[in-house]
């Protein structure tokens, strides 16, 4: 049965096929998943430089030949992650209303739609990140 336009199924975030495609696209990237998960873990909001350090550290630890802890991630690697978050991933998540970005304070905040997206992660990804 096809839901009516005013049915609850149509009003649920990421409920129709276009929204499902959007959710899958947003969750396809490891950095976007890591960003959403980190924001959820810290209560919903964090400064961009802090998020970049955490993600750079996770990525360094996941490389098979890397031996790393928080102090071993180079400033260059942290900067590369921060630039990619700022210019690619945060704008994409902001356009989908999954996060809000306050440029004056460089703070990223998880929205309700972002939490909904994060709850869909196990259905989209083989191994949740």
């Amino acid at each position: 049965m096809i839901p009516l336009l005013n049915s609850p199924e149509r009003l649920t975030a990421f409920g129709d096929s276009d929204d499902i495609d959007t959710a899958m696209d947003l969750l396809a990237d490891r950095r976007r998943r890591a960003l959403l998960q980190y924001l959820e873990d810290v209560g919903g909001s964090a400064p961009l430089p802090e998020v970049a350090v955490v993600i750079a550290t996770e990525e360094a630890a996941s490389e098979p030949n890397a031996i790393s802890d928080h102090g071993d991630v180079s400033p260059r690697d942290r900067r590369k992650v921060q630039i990619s978050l700022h210019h690619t991933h945060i704008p994409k998540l902001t356009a989908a209303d999954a996060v809000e970005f306050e440029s004056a304070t460089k703070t990223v905040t998880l929205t309700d739609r972002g939490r909904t997206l994060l709850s869909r992660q196990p259905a989209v990804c083989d191994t949740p990140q």
Side-chain angles (χ1 to χ4, degrees):
M1 180 170 154
I2 300 173
L4 300 172
L5 289 178
N6 60 357
S7 72
E9 292 84 10
R10 293 287 298 160
L11 301 175
T12 302
F14 305 109
D16 66 17
S17 63
D18 287 340
D19 284 341
I20 292 168
D21 290 343
T22 298
M24 291 183 76
D25 179 53
L26 292 171
L27 291 172
D29 188 88
R30 176 179 54 187
R31 283 189 181 162
R32 286 193 291 271
R33 292 191 309 267
L35 171 62
L36 292 171
Q37 188 60 59
Y38 183 73
L39 292 174
E40 178 69 15
D41 292 346
V42 298
S45 187
L48 176 58
E50 175 185 316
V51 177
V53 168
V54 170
I55 292 174
T57 302
E58 288 175 3
E59 289 178 2
S62 69
E63 293 175 9
N65 294 325
I67 299 173
S68 176
D69 65 354
H70 291 282
D72 289 339
V73 178
S74 73
R76 181 175 184 253
D77 289 340
R78 290 190 301 257
R79 182 78 177 140
K80 282 175 28 180
V81 171
Q82 184 170 335
I83 289 170
S84 111
L85 289 171
H86 187 264
H87 291 288
T88 303
H89 304 298
I90 291 173
K92 195 165 197 166
L93 290 167
T94 300
D97 295 324
V99 300
E100 294 175 350
F101 183 68
E102 176 58 47
S103 54
T105 60
K106 294 188 189 247
T107 302
V108 188
T109 304
L110 187 64
T111 65
D112 288 338
R113 189 167 171 102
R115 286 183 177 86
T116 300
L117 179 61
L118 196 54
S119 73
R120 303 285 194 263
Q121 180 176 315
V124 174
C125 304
D126 288 338
T127 55
Q129 302 260 332

